Amino acid sequence: DADVTQTPRNRITKTGKRIMLECSQTKGHDRMYWYRQDPGLGLRLIYYSFDVKDINKGEISDGYSVSRQAQAKFSLSLESAIPNQTALYFCATSDWGITGELFFGEGSRLTVL
Amino acid sequence: DAKTTQPNSMESNEEEPVHLPCNHSTISGTDYIHWYRQLPSQGPEYVIHGLTSNVNNRMASLAIAEDRKSSTLILHRATLRDAAVYYCILMDGGGAQKLVFGQGTRLTINP
């Protein structure tokens, strides 16, 4: 089983719908992240959390919200999806410390029609 | 966040060394230099990181300029499986400790 699991892996939805992407990890890490990747571009940070009570905005948080339900779970929500939120979304985790090595999930591909 | 500059793409041949450059002229004293790579249809994976001294691991070597304004990721003997997008990233060791990715270098390996 993967250390970082994302569900769903693929989702097609319509404009205005609420969407939740879920991430769970078995690495025991405190830190979790949500990134977005658009075709041909690098990853952009949406939100990150350093522990269950900590939530921080990243570069592009507008239109997104997150919930850290437990150390192992970090969910990303699109309250009212729009077409330009069509992208590949990655969840990642890291242990405490300056090395900051990130472990990524396999990605969730979201298409908003 | 300090920025990095990398070539959009590079090409090399199998079993030859590859040197991937990265410029980070605005690096601060507490910034760590990280490299990740993203294979096709996968999430990024960690390659190596360093602060001031050159670093080696089983995947690659990281050469850091004396003024720390540039660095080079070295793949000693490229294989076809090394074809990926390579990201050079600065992480502020004294601040939020979050990684912000740029656009990276797409490395093509020719057989």
Side-chain angles (χ1 to χ4, degrees):
Chain A
D1 290 338
D3 293 324
V4 182
T5 303
Q6 293 183 229
T7 56
R9 294 291 313 281
N10 287 284
R11 181 73 183 268
I12 299 173
T13 191
K14 294 182 179 180
T15 298
K17 293 292 186 181
R18 183 178 187 272
I19 294 297
M20 178 180 286
L21 305 179
E22 298 184 327
C23 177
S24 63
Q25 52 114 347
T26 58
K27 296 194 75 67
H29 290 165
D30 285 325
R31 301 181 172 198
M32 298 188 74
Y33 309 78
W34 276 104
Y35 286 89
R36 164 180 173 159
Q37 186 171 39
D38 295 281
L41 300 180
L43 283 76
R44 291 183 290 171
L45 182 62
I46 306 172
Y47 271 96
Y48 60 103
S49 168
F50 283 176
D51 64 42
V52 175
K53 297 179 180 179
D54 176 75
I55 300 290
N56 304 282
K57 292 182 177 181
E59 304 170 84
I60 53 163
S61 59
D62 287 349
Y64 301 95
S65 62
V66 290
S67 174
R68 186 78 184 269
Q69 300 95 324
Q71 185 203 38
K73 296 184 181 297
F74 192 37
S75 299
L76 176 71
S77 293
L78 289 68
E79 295 302 324
S80 180
I82 56 177
N84 75 2
Q85 292 178 313
T86 293
L88 185 57
Y89 291 85
F90 287 102
C91 174
T93 73
S94 71
D95 202 350
W96 183 89
I98 292 175
T99 62
E101 180 179 346
L102 294 178
F103 295 85
F104 283 83
E106 295 183 340
S108 294
R109 186 170 298 280
L110 176 66
T111 302
V112 184
L113 302 176
Chain B
D1 297 314
K3 300 296 184 185
T4 62
T5 303
Q6 300 177 253
N8 289 332
S9 63
M10 290 184 64
E11 198 169 326
S12 187
N13 297 320
E14 198 174 10
E15 299 188 1
E16 292 184 354
V18 179
H19 291 234
L20 296 163
C22 181
N23 288 318
H24 29 78
S25 59
T26 60
I27 192 171
S28 73
T30 56
D31 283 341
Y32 282 73
I33 302 161
H34 287 246
W35 284 82
Y36 280 73
R37 72 179 186 180
Q38 187 173 18
L39 303 172
S41 302
Q42 295 187 24
E45 64 176 351
Y46 169 83
V47 177
I48 201 166
H49 79 278
L51 182 62
T52 57
S53 303
N54 294 344
V55 184
N56 300 298
N57 67 20
R58 63 176 180 81
M59 290 181 70
S61 295
L62 176 59
I64 302 173
E66 195 168 336
D67 63 6
R68 301 208 327 125
K69 294 185 176 182
S70 66
S71 62
T72 302
L73 179 71
I74 303 166
L75 307 179
H76 293 287
R77 197 166 175 224
T79 70
L80 295 177
R81 289 179 296 178
D82 291 321
V85 178
Y86 286 78
Y87 297 99
C88 168
I89 307 154
L90 301 183
M91 186 180 80
D92 179 8
Q97 299 183 14
K98 63 184 188 294
L99 291 176
V100 178
F101 287 71
Q103 293 191 14
T105 296
R106 182 174 298 278
L107 176 65
T108 300
I109 303 296
N110 299 315

